[in-house]
């Protein structure tokens, strides 16, 4: 079998997964309006991808304030919880496994996405320069607009942010998710706390490495106390420089965090880039899910080298609902259509054919032309 290691079973936390092909979190901006509720179509989309060893959902904001894009789903209302329960149920009905990604966009947002038109919140009043978010444009139609000037969080508000994650963890638990992934990557709120360029705070949540990662540790501990550390993962991207992130101490903070996450005993760390992966692995004894620009061949080699236990794929899962089946058959992969990634309906979402579908329609065409 090709990609034998990638397609072999592994245990993450105490979840047995039949292969090491993880679906990466992919924002698709298709939640029902008003209310940012995951739809039946989203349940179908995730169920189509249930062959993944583990699905990580698109970012689900833990509070309305945490919303970073138009029609991104939340996990902070009863209707959203019911929508997610339907998603998790649909994946489980196809024998899949699914983690929900808890997210807070922080400054990667816009006042047009915020209740009452308030500015988005962030560790400090540092705007993400040259960064665009998916939000209503001046004429009200969806599109990409410059990230807004954020309001720095008061020290007294931070406990409330932690509670938003706790509330979302209860909702995730009730919705039936197998795991919870806490996003501290790619320039969103928790990464804004970790990185030196975006955190200018002088309280207990800014300054030293320990202080800058404090909110992450508090959230991970709190969420672990809700569903058990063995069901928690954290996504980090220490080398990420998009979203106007500058971090003079990325290595120090990610390795310090590795020790804290090992102490808490979480199931996995999802590294969205390969920076310091070996050093990280020396400290963190849970599973490592690596992600980014991997072909199946690279992913297989990475796991064989012992660098990671599993590899997450992003773009490949957009266009290949049956990615694992295609890898097993060493079949070609379809490419995603950029025009239908963000927003819209079923087109470019649930209508990518499986290999079986594609072969059947080819046969039909051949039969018709005969
Ligand atoms: C359509 C799309 C949406 C994405 N949305 C997010 C997101 O909301 N948050 C995030 O951290 N990463 C997001 N990513 C990044 C992916 O999780 C992944 O890290 C990236 O696609 C690299 O993996 P790949 O080379 O297999 O595509 C997105 C990627 C794509 C293609």
């Amino acid at each position: 079998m090709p990609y034998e290691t990638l397609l072999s079973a592994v245990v993450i936390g105490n979840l047995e997964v039949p292969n090491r092909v993880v679906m990466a979190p992919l924002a698709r901006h298709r939640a029902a309006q008003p209310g940012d509720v995951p739809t039946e179509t989203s349940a179908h989309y995730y169920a189509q991808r249930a062959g993944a060893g583990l699905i990580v959902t698109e970012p689900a904001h833990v509070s309305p304030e945490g919303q970073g894009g138009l029609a991104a789903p939340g996990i902070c209302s009863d209707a959203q919880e019911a929508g997610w329960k339907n998603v998790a149920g649909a994946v489980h009905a196809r024998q899949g496994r699914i983690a929900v990604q808890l997210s807070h966009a922080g400054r990667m947002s816009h006042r047009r996405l915020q209740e009452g038109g308030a500015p988005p919140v962030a560790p400090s009043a540092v705007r993400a320069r040259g960064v665009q978010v998916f939000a209503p444009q001046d004429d009200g139609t969806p599109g990409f607009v410059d990230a807004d000037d954020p309001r720095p969080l008061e020290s007294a508000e931070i406990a409330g942010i932690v509670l938003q994650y706790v509330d979302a963890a209860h909702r995730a638990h009730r919705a039936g998710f197998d795991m919870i992934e806490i996003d501290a990557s790619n320039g969103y709120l928790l990464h804004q706390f970790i990185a030196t360029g975006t955190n200018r705070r002088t309280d207990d949540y800014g300054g030293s490495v320990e202080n800058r990662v404090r909110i992450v540790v508090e959230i991970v501990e709190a969420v672990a106390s809700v569903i058990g550390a063995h069901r928690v993962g954290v996504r980090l991207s220490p080398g990420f420089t998009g979203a106007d992130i500058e971090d003079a101490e990325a290595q120090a903070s990610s390795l310090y965090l590795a020790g804290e996450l090992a102490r808490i005993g979480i199931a996995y760390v999802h590294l969205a880039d390969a920076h310091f992966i070996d050093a990280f692995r020396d400290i963190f004894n849970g599973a490592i899910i690596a992600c980014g620009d991997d072909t199946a061949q690279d992913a297989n080699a990475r796991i064989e080298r012992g660098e990671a236990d599993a590899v997450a794929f992003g773009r490949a899962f957009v266009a290949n609902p049956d990615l694992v089946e295609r890898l097993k058959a060493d079949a070609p992969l379809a490419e995603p259509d950029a025009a239908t990634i963000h927003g819209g309906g079923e087109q470019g979402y649930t209508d990518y054919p499986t290999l079986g579908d594609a072969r059947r329609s080819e046969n039909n065409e051949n039969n018709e032309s005969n």
Side-chain angles (χ1 to χ4, degrees):
M1 181 164 68
Y3 320 120
E4 197 163 333
T5 310
L6 180 63
L7 296 171
S8 66
V10 69
V11 176
I12 299 178
N14 59 7
L15 188 68
E16 284 179 36
V17 310
N19 62 69
R20 299 158 187 249
V21 181
V22 173
M23 178 173 166
L26 303 168
R28 305 300 308 273
H29 304 282
R30 281 165 162 91
Q33 301 306 312
D36 302 327
V37 177
T39 62
E40 188 61 43
T41 310
S42 291
H44 182 49
Y45 159 80
Y46 284 112
Q48 287 176 320
R49 288 154 180 79
L54 176 68
I55 292 172
V56 181
T57 69
E58 66 210 282
H61 45 267
V62 296
S63 62
E65 209 175 63
Q67 184 173 23
L70 199 61
I75 185 159
C76 45
S77 75
D78 291 347
Q80 291 163 354
E81 181 183 321
W84 283 122
K85 189 170 184 172
N86 192 36
V87 167
V91 170
H92 289 152
R94 292 235 194 148
Q95 280 75 50
R97 294 136 303 273
I98 182 164
V100 64
Q101 194 192 61
L102 301 188
S103 150
H104 191 305
R107 70 174 188 164
M108 296 276 285
S109 185
H110 195 280
R111 63 191 70 205
R112 287 184 195 139
L113 296 168
Q114 299 285 325
E115 279 178 353
V121 299
S124 303
V126 183
R127 190 167 65 85
R129 293 156 303 171
V131 176
Q132 297 206 305
V133 298
F134 191 63
Q137 302 175 101
D138 291 345
D139 65 3
T141 59
F144 283 90
V145 301
D146 288 342
D148 222 326
D149 282 312
R151 170 181 78 78
L153 284 160
E154 308 275 344
S155 302
E157 288 179 287
I158 295 197
I161 302 274
V162 177
L163 285 179
Q164 292 172 3
Y165 281 82
V166 170
D167 183 53
H170 283 293
R171 291 190 183 280
H173 185 49
R174 288 195 295 263
F177 284 105
D178 300 290
M179 289 202 168
I180 290 177
E181 178 172 295
I182 294 162
D183 184 30
S185 75
N186 290 0
Y188 298 100
L189 180 73
L190 301 184
H191 198 183
Q192 293 157 29
F193 270 91
I194 296 171
T196 52
T198 36
N199 186 337
R200 313 256 170 93
R201 302 181 69 89
T202 54
D203 63 2
D204 287 350
Y205 295 89
S208 64
V209 164
E210 192 181 342
N211 281 358
R212 294 200 315 278
V213 306
R214 186 181 308 281
I215 189 171
V216 182
V217 174
E218 288 181 356
I219 287 169
V220 173
E221 281 179 329
V223 169
S225 72
V226 174
I227 57 153
H230 61 287
R231 292 173 69 188
V232 176
V234 172
R235 195 175 207 226
L236 300 172
S237 57
F240 180 77
T241 53
D244 193 29
I245 284 286
E246 287 168 14
D247 194 354
E249 293 185 326
Q251 179 159 10
S253 53
S254 57
L255 297 185
Y256 176 80
L257 208 40
E260 288 295 283
L261 298 176
R263 175 182 63 75
I264 301 168
I266 65 166
Y268 72 87
V269 168
H270 184 170
L271 287 170
D273 54 53
H275 288 72
F276 329 122
I277 194 163
D278 291 332
F280 201 96
R281 206 157 173 62
D282 287 342
I283 302 169
F284 178 71
N285 50 5
I288 300 271
I289 300 174
C291 179
D293 290 327
D294 285 282
T295 63
Q297 210 161 4
D298 297 338
N300 197 69
R302 237 175 163 180
I303 299 168
E304 275 180 356
R305 284 199 301 273
E307 219 177 271
D309 300 283
V311 173
F313 294 86
R315 285 158 296 175
F317 264 113
V318 171
N320 300 276
D322 56 341
L323 179 60
V324 171
E325 290 310 310
R326 286 184 194 233
L327 297 180
K328 280 182 186 163
D330 208 7
L333 301 186
E335 290 295 326
D337 167 24
T340 52
I341 293 269
H342 297 292
E346 294 176 13
Q347 195 194 349
Y349 192 47
T350 50
D351 63 353
Y352 285 104
T354 62
L355 209 51
D357 295 336
R359 286 189 179 147
R360 268 188 296 279
S361 70
E362 226 170 78
N363 282 344
N364 288 344
E365 273 166 33
N366 288 344
N367 289 343
E368 276 162 25
S369 59
N370 281 343

